[in-house]
Amino acid sequence: MTVPQQFKGFGIDKAENWNKPQLVKYEANQVASHDVVLENICCGLCGSDIHTLKGAWSPLQRNDLVVGHEIIGKVIAVGKDVKDIKVGDRCGIGACSKSCMDCERCKTDNEQYCNKKVGTYNSEDFDTGYISQGGYSSHSIAHEQYVFPIPEALESAVAAPLMCAGLTVFSPLVRNLGEDAKGKTVGIIGIGGLGHLAIQFANALGANVVAFSRSSSKKDQALQMGAHDFIATGEQKNWNTSYANKFDFILNCASGIDGLNLNDYLSVLKVDAKFVSVGLPPVADTFEVSPFSFIGNACSFGSSLLGSKKEALYMLQLAAEKNIKPWIEEVPITAESCGTALTRCDEGDVRYRFVFTEFDKAFN
Ligand code: NDP
């Protein structure tokens, strides 16, 4: 199959229209020697899509911006130097699609931290100047390092949220807890797309998992996902007083900072334990924290970005073996359904991930 010169997608012209995508056609980026081209099958809706469309992190780089970075598709073409992926394979692409592959980070399984990394959308290709377009679209192109073969046991719609949400929580969990977390207590804050997968992966690694949510409305579902305990921070005032010295690791997956008192979370960590925030609010929002919050237990604060290909392959294998599945609502993709899903996700009305499907009908 040849690669079409023009791709189709659902894009927006400006941030005010963040939830009013329209069908757009655009020139494709050129296919480089290490690139893989997918005909897209489905794509998840990540909280980052909304931050980006609203211009909450940076200005929109195009006036036909297509987002989406939880992409599953069928390989229709590969560059001449691609070795391990072939036409016909089913693969996924997450939130990054290229990096230099030459720096120390790229060579040591930290390629997502490359200073030249290219995001899957709204990001400039350092070779061609092309502004990348995401996966609410007919086709996607990525460097082979950012293309992950999908195990047969995982259906496409189930695999999609693993490309970004799954990998983003899996990487800091294994980096901080190792592959066997038995006997360790882990807190997961914000039970959305990322958080509900973090509960499942932390449980699969053997940890004792405590879910934190602003209200108790997700309690039963969080326990079903594998949480052993649940704290509704907006309803249980001074919850931290009964959890002193309890946590080996806390992972924040919330997309905002409302009601998130960092000092309370730091106070319940064990000595030398760490609080990692993968959740990212609008760029102007900041945490308030007292230097005294770190002194009582020598705790640390940090963050984490996506995950490496090595971690992605391990995560997919674990998901297939242990039957770890995102809870999804499938949405056949149209301009209207895309806008509705963006609005509903922004309002917190999703349990727990939208996945756009039926791309063949929308783009053929
Ligand atoms: P979702 O919208 O699916 O879930 C976010 C959850 O955060 C909600 O379910 C809610 O949990 C909580 N929340 C929502 N609004 C607020 C608010 N204003 N203040 C405090 N908490 C809030 O988003 P995702 O799971 O897709 O993404 C979560 C975050 O992770 C986003 O900021 C996203 O940009 C970021 N992200 C970061 C990546 C990285 O590499 N570091 C990669 C991908 C995403 P509850 O109701 O339980 O309180």
Side-chain angles (χ1 to χ4, degrees):
M1 186 186 278
T2 51
V3 180
Q5 271 193 335
Q6 281 201 319
F7 293 170
K8 295 179 197 167
F10 291 101
I12 65 148
D13 55 353
K14 51 186 178 199
E16 297 91 281
N17 291 332
W18 66 272
N19 59 352
K20 296 184 187 68
Q22 301 294 331
L23 186 64
V24 293
K25 289 182 185 171
Y26 51 91
E27 295 300 311
N29 197 3
Q30 64 194 50
V31 180
S33 64
H34 281 281
D35 282 351
V36 175
V37 185
L38 299 188
E39 183 175 43
N40 296 336
I41 297 170
C42 60
C43 185
L45 191 170
C46 177
S48 305
D49 300 349
I50 296 174
H51 285 312
T52 301
L53 291 173
K54 287 183 170 180
W57 286 345
S58 64
L60 273 58
Q61 303 294 320
R62 313 178 49 126
N63 62 7
D64 60 351
L65 182 68
V66 175
V67 295
H69 57 206
E70 295 186 335
I71 305 163
I72 304 293
K74 197 177 79 178
V75 177
I76 59 162
V78 294
K80 67 177 174 49
D81 295 323
V82 172
K83 297 223 165 32
D84 300 328
I85 295 171
K86 57 183 190 320
V87 170
D89 287 353
R90 193 172 56 117
C91 291
I93 299 171
C96 193
S97 45
K98 179 173 177 173
S99 58
C100 77
M101 298 313 298
D102 199 32
C103 69
E104 186 251 332
R105 293 177 183 188
C106 282
K107 288 176 175 168
T108 54
D109 295 316
N110 275 317
E111 68 271 14
Q112 73 275 30
Y113 295 106
C114 172
N115 288 327
K116 290 173 92 176
K117 66 185 165 295
V118 180
T120 295
Y121 54 72
N122 206 35
S123 188
E124 184 174 337
D125 183 323
F126 53 82
D127 282 323
T128 64
Y130 184 87
I131 302 296
S132 54
Q133 291 280 61
Y136 301 178
S137 65
S138 58
H139 298 80
S140 296
I141 302 175
H143 185 284
E144 60 181 325
Q145 184 70 17
Y146 294 91
V147 179
F148 314 136
I150 306 299
E152 248 181 55
L154 297 176
E155 287 167 33
S156 296
V158 161
L162 299 177
M163 299 299 102
C164 177
L167 183 56
T168 298
V169 298
F170 188 70
S171 173
L173 286 172
V174 284
R175 286 186 190 209
N176 287 283
L177 299 167
E179 292 174 18
D180 182 0
K182 277 188 201 70
K184 294 187 177 155
T185 297
V186 174
I188 307 293
I189 305 169
I191 313 308
L194 268 63
H196 92 292
L197 281 166
I199 291 175
Q200 295 185 61
F201 279 118
N203 185 295
L205 294 172
N208 177 49
V209 185
V210 182
F212 292 91
S213 192
R214 289 165 300 167
S215 78
S216 50
S217 67
K218 297 174 185 171
K219 179 172 180 175
D220 291 348
Q221 293 182 337
L223 297 177
Q224 238 178 298
M225 287 164 198
H228 303 90
D229 192 1
F230 183 95
I231 299 170
T233 51
E235 297 165 17
Q236 291 168 247
K237 297 292 169 206
N238 303 321
W239 62 267
N240 56 321
T241 51
S242 27
Y243 285 84
N245 200 40
K246 171 93 172 167
F247 290 90
D248 295 275
F249 183 61
I250 297 179
L251 185 66
N252 171 37
C253 301
S255 57
I257 55 167
D258 297 338
L260 202 157
N261 186 330
L262 187 54
N263 297 303
D264 286 351
Y265 287 110
L266 295 177
S267 76
V268 294
L269 287 168
K270 291 182 180 171
V271 171
D272 283 334
K274 199 167 171 186
F275 178 107
V276 166
S277 186
V278 288
L280 295 166
V283 75
D285 289 351
T286 52
F287 283 125
E288 269 185 37
V289 64
S290 161
F292 287 93
S293 292
F294 298 92
I295 199 85
N297 51 8
C299 64
S300 311
F301 176 89
S303 192
S304 176
L305 177 70
L306 313 178
S308 65
K309 180 165 189 172
K310 190 175 172 193
E311 287 162 339
L313 300 182
Y314 176 34
M315 170 198 69
L316 287 166
Q317 180 200 332
L318 194 70
E321 274 170 23
K322 303 221 170 189
N323 201 26
I324 295 171
K325 287 184 178 172
W327 294 23
I328 59 169
E329 180 175 335
E330 293 188 34
V331 178
I333 195 165
T334 62
E336 194 186 351
S337 70
C338 202
T340 306
L342 286 165
T343 307
R344 281 185 54 197
C345 183
D346 188 50
E347 291 169 350
D349 179 20
V350 53
R351 301 279 171 103
Y352 283 88
R353 204 53 148 187
F354 289 121
V355 178
F356 296 116
T357 57
E358 299 190 13
F359 280 35
D360 46 345
K361 284 189 193 151
F363 299 122
N364 283 335

